[in-house]
Amino acid sequence: MEHLIARAKEDVSQQAGASLLTAPEAEHIIETLRSFGLDQVGSPEWRAQHGQITTLNLQAHHNAQTHSDEFVKSALVSLDKFPVLVRELVTFEVWKANVLPLLQQHVAEQVDSMTSYMLLQHEAAVANLLEITLYHQEACEAVDEDSLLELCDWGYRKLLSLNSKVRKQHKVPDQDPKALLDVSAEEDFQAKLLEADFGAATSALTILRYLSDYLNVLPLALLTRLVTTNDTLMALVPLLEDPPWVRRRNKKTEKFIGNVWTAIESRDRLKLTQHDAQVWLMLNNLLVDPKARAKYDMDEYRKKTVLRVRRHMNDILLDQLPILKDLQRVLDELTMGVSSQQDESQTTRLIIEQVPVMRDALLKQGNWQQVADKQRQAFFSRAASAQQSKRQMDDMLKALDFMCNLQPDKPQAPAGHEANQTEVRFELWRKVKEGVFERWEEHTCGLNPAKPAEPVSIEAEGSAGVQGLRHRLQAVEAETGRAFPANGKIVVKFGGRSAEALLELPAPSTRDGAAELPAVVWLTAGLLATDTFALQLKLKRAEKPKTRDKAAGVWYIYHAVGGAITVLNKE
């Protein structure tokens, strides 16, 4: 494996801008995707499709990361292949729960590492592809109702695993390095299996959040399944109180960020991880949405459980997720015994409920021991594995090349001194369409040495708060450079750290209409507690706008003229 990684890194600089697939190649692969039966898991055709799914997953992440055309998602929608992916997900889950335990010792001790890795990561690969594509509403709407219910049930089972076996795996104390040398092949395989389950479960959390975002346009049966049948709310609260993506190792706090356990400094302890944010956003969707609240039977036990969420809400959390202000209001209403949906939820009764049948049908198939014996001889023998090893090795090497390009570079200070903290750089990106941005312009603002830094303190209920120093920026001549795009984003870089914020600026449809809009607006990017800085830019309206967005039919009228940046005090 080390040799593969070394070879992959050799060509990173040469492959920096390359894609793994073109749009026609991706469409051809997606067109050939099909469902496999339980007895076909591990077959040459199944292995080939696993490699194709991995390739599609990497390309979809590349498209999202570079804000380019998301042709993988578009092809899955147009060719109606989401039901195939969902069935593959459920089929492999059933196989892993019923057949793999009968083969585990044989796979761990007799099968080559490439095949073992494929079996470990298949569910996570399919789930990750669904995660990156179901971000879009059109993708969620393209999934048929039966598949949506199966996906909802699968996701709920993964939430339960996050609260049980996966939690135990990542909460174990520090292990003696000598003891690790005595671990058997089967024990090592089991540990890696739990790690793969954790990856699939975190993807399931994100998928469920996306489905909860679009409950108003998705079938009503999904809402019933998510809120009533599965009681997702009760599975979310423990994830806030004792998150499985946070652990203590070697006397340090680690968080699971970017699929890697990362040591967290004390200044970043209040920063939400992506998984924390998904839990909060799903809670917000299920408790604030009137239809979801009307479906939920809020008895006394559930009410007490939900109200435990209040202790985790503070000003720093609301700064990171301002949308949670509505959730805070709902929790206050529950505390006072006021609920506009209480009577409706008690009188609503479900007469007919659509239920998923895919998993039940799979569970009724055949004898698990018979399936395991057949696959042991046909697909997982040494001879069968050897025939596939060369092709799998080549495919993995190509994927490793591409993954090295996807991995973001860590900010590093120049040799011999700290990262530059005397100027602020920010990039402007114009929004072309949903999820796609184009680079607009880059600016640099220096700190004003004539203005002394001012101490700033932000208090938060239930925490010590944060302190910082506010530095004034040097004034910039009005109408320097191109005007800020009305819709897009700003990426700010300071002291080796970066932060982003969306741009939603007033924009007139006519040049004369600019005079009716505010002469000055303020733009904020970054959070002091999490990004270690917060930039406040002062934008001034141009007297005579020069830039017009022909596609949107509006004028860009604001330019940066100054502002301030508040830097976290680490002492």
Side-chain angles (χ1 to χ4, degrees):
M1 182 59 69
E2 289 79 4
H3 177 63
L4 283 176
I5 294 175
R7 288 181 59 189
K9 289 184 176 180
E10 289 178 0
D11 298 328
V12 169
S13 58
Q14 302 177 10
Q15 303 288 337
S19 291
L20 194 59
L21 293 172
T22 63
E25 289 173 339
E27 184 174 349
H28 174 72
I29 290 176
I30 291 171
E31 193 172 10
T32 62
L33 293 179
R34 65 184 183 91
S35 301
F36 287 90
L38 288 168
D39 58 344
Q40 295 175 298
V41 173
S43 65
E45 296 81 8
W46 182 89
R47 296 185 189 209
Q49 180 160 295
H50 168 82
Q52 292 174 338
I53 289 175
T54 301
T55 303
L56 291 171
N57 185 32
L58 290 173
Q59 183 61 50
H61 277 79
H62 172 76
N63 293 345
Q65 190 178 88
T66 58
H67 306 290
S68 55
D69 180 26
E70 300 194 32
F71 52 79
V72 173
K73 178 264 298 179
S74 300
L76 287 171
V77 171
S78 61
L79 296 173
D80 193 24
K81 291 296 183 177
F82 281 108
V84 174
L85 292 178
V86 173
R87 184 173 183 85
E88 184 68 13
L89 198 65
V90 175
T91 300
F92 190 79
E93 181 196 26
V94 172
W95 182 88
K96 187 170 65 174
N98 297 279
V99 180
L100 182 58
L102 304 176
L103 292 170
Q104 183 164 315
Q105 182 177 0
H106 173 78
V107 171
E109 297 177 355
Q110 303 296 328
V111 175
D112 63 280
S113 58
M114 298 291 295
T115 302
S116 298
Y117 178 83
M118 187 177 300
L119 294 175
L120 288 170
Q121 296 297 327
H122 183 70
E123 184 180 25
V126 178
N128 204 227
L129 178 57
L130 287 171
E131 176 187 0
I132 195 66
T133 52
L134 291 178
Y135 167 80
H136 302 275
Q137 178 177 331
E138 63 174 314
C140 291
E141 292 178 334
V143 186
D144 65 276
E145 189 169 356
D146 290 336
S147 298
L148 278 176
L149 297 182
E150 293 288 353
L151 188 60
C152 179
D153 280 6
W154 171 83
Y156 180 69
R157 291 191 293 272
K158 291 303 175 183
L159 288 189
L160 297 182
S161 73
L162 281 176
N163 284 315
S164 55
K165 64 177 182 178
V166 172
R167 180 186 301 278
K168 295 178 182 179
Q169 166 69 11
H170 294 293
K171 296 294 183 180
V172 296
D174 298 341
Q175 295 180 331
D176 183 4
K178 294 182 179 179
L180 294 177
L181 297 176
D182 298 329
V183 173
S184 66
E186 188 174 1
E187 291 173 338
D188 182 60
F189 184 88
Q190 180 63 28
K192 292 178 179 177
L193 181 61
L194 287 176
E195 290 180 5
D197 286 344
F198 180 74
T202 54
S203 293
L205 175 63
T206 306
I207 291 171
L208 287 180
R209 201 275 287 181
Y210 292 157
L211 295 182
S212 69
D213 282 346
Y214 307 124
L215 286 175
N216 59 327
V217 296
L218 295 178
L220 182 60
L222 176 64
L223 174 61
T224 302
R225 203 77 187 171
L226 195 63
V227 175
T228 304
T229 307
N230 291 337
D231 202 355
T232 307
L233 273 174
M234 294 297 100
L236 291 174
V237 175
L239 297 179
L240 284 181
E241 297 178 324
D242 186 18
W245 41 83
V246 180
R247 70 183 185 184
R248 290 284 296 180
R249 285 287 175 92
N250 300 322
K251 299 181 180 180
K252 292 184 179 179
T253 299
E254 295 181 346
K255 293 186 177 182
F256 194 72
I257 302 174
N259 295 324
V260 176
W261 286 102
T262 306
I264 300 299
E265 299 182 20
S266 58
R267 68 171 182 262
D268 293 331
R269 68 189 186 280
L270 299 176
K271 186 174 183 178
L272 292 177
T273 66
Q274 180 183 357
H275 311 308
D276 293 318
Q278 303 295 9
V279 176
W280 280 111
L281 292 172
M282 201 187 324
L283 280 171
N284 183 75
N285 291 338
L286 298 181
L287 285 172
V288 175
D289 182 78
K291 292 183 179 179
R293 291 180 64 186
K295 283 282 186 183
Y296 197 60
D297 183 12
M298 186 69 74
D299 56 27
E300 193 63 26
Y301 169 77
R302 288 169 174 162
K303 178 179 176 181
K304 289 181 179 179
T305 302
V306 168
L307 288 178
R308 299 206 307 257
V309 171
R310 295 185 72 229
R311 72 185 69 171
H312 302 284
M313 301 195 73
N314 52 52
D315 292 341
I316 295 178
L317 172 65
L318 295 177
D319 284 343
Q320 296 177 76
L321 292 174
I323 195 175
L324 297 183
K325 291 180 180 179
D326 290 334
L327 175 60
Q328 189 177 43
R329 173 184 55 79
V330 170
L331 294 176
D332 290 340
E333 291 177 357
L334 286 175
T335 303
M336 295 183 293
V338 178
S339 177
S340 59
Q341 302 296 331
Q342 185 174 4
D343 295 337
E344 184 178 353
S345 66
Q346 291 177 352
T347 58
T348 301
R349 293 292 182 269
L350 185 64
I351 299 175
I352 299 177
E353 178 185 2
Q354 184 172 347
V355 296
V357 297
M358 184 188 304
R359 184 170 182 269
D360 291 341
L362 290 170
L363 289 172
K364 295 177 181 178
Q365 289 185 13
N367 184 305
W368 304 124
Q369 186 63 56
Q370 183 179 359
V371 174
D373 292 340
K374 175 184 175 182
Q375 293 179 335
R376 183 184 291 108
Q377 294 295 326
F379 305 144
F380 301 129
S381 64
R382 289 185 180 274
S385 298
Q387 294 176 1
Q388 298 293 326
S389 295
K390 178 63 171 63
R391 179 178 177 179
Q392 292 170 6
M393 187 75 70
D394 293 340
D395 291 342
M396 178 170 283
L397 178 59
K398 184 178 180 181
L400 281 173
D401 284 337
F402 198 68
M403 283 190 286
C404 288
N405 296 332
L406 285 177
Q407 184 67 27
D409 295 330
K410 296 182 179 180
Q412 297 180 350
H417 60 279
E418 296 295 325
N420 190 350
Q421 295 195 13
T422 61
E423 64 180 22
V424 181
R425 298 177 58 193
F426 55 89
E427 301 171 355
L428 302 176
W429 296 73
R430 186 179 74 90
K431 184 177 180 180
V432 179
K433 60 180 181 178
E434 190 64 35
V436 179
F437 297 84
E438 70 172 1
R439 191 184 184 91
W440 185 251
E441 196 167 61
E442 182 174 331
H443 293 265
T444 301
C445 292
L447 305 187
N448 191 343
K451 296 289 184 70
E454 305 168 1
V456 175
S457 178
I458 301 177
E459 303 297 333
E461 182 180 354
S463 65
V466 292
Q467 288 77 38
L469 292 175
R470 178 178 293 150
H471 303 267
R472 301 292 178 179
L473 300 180
Q474 292 179 340
V476 181
E477 184 178 351
E479 301 188 33
T480 300
R482 304 167 78 184
F484 278 46
N487 286 286
K489 68 176 181 177
I490 180 173
V491 180
V492 184
K493 299 179 180 180
F494 178 79
R497 303 293 290 261
S498 64
E500 293 188 12
L502 294 177
L503 294 176
E504 295 180 352
L505 302 176
S509 56
T510 63
R511 179 178 292 178
D512 295 337
E516 302 176 2
L517 297 177
V520 174
V521 297
W522 286 86
L523 174 66
T524 300
L527 294 170
L528 187 60
T530 60
D531 300 314
T532 72
F533 70 84
L535 175 67
Q536 293 175 300
L537 277 180
K538 181 180 180 180
L539 306 182
K540 186 176 180 180
R541 187 187 67 208
E543 294 183 2
K544 295 181 179 180
K546 301 177 181 179
T547 306
R548 184 173 183 269
D549 186 337
K550 296 181 180 179
V554 297
W555 290 83
Y556 298 162
I557 62 174
Y558 288 104
H559 297 262
V561 295
I565 184 169
T566 304
V567 183
L568 182 67
N569 189 348
K570 302 178 183 179
E571 298 179 358

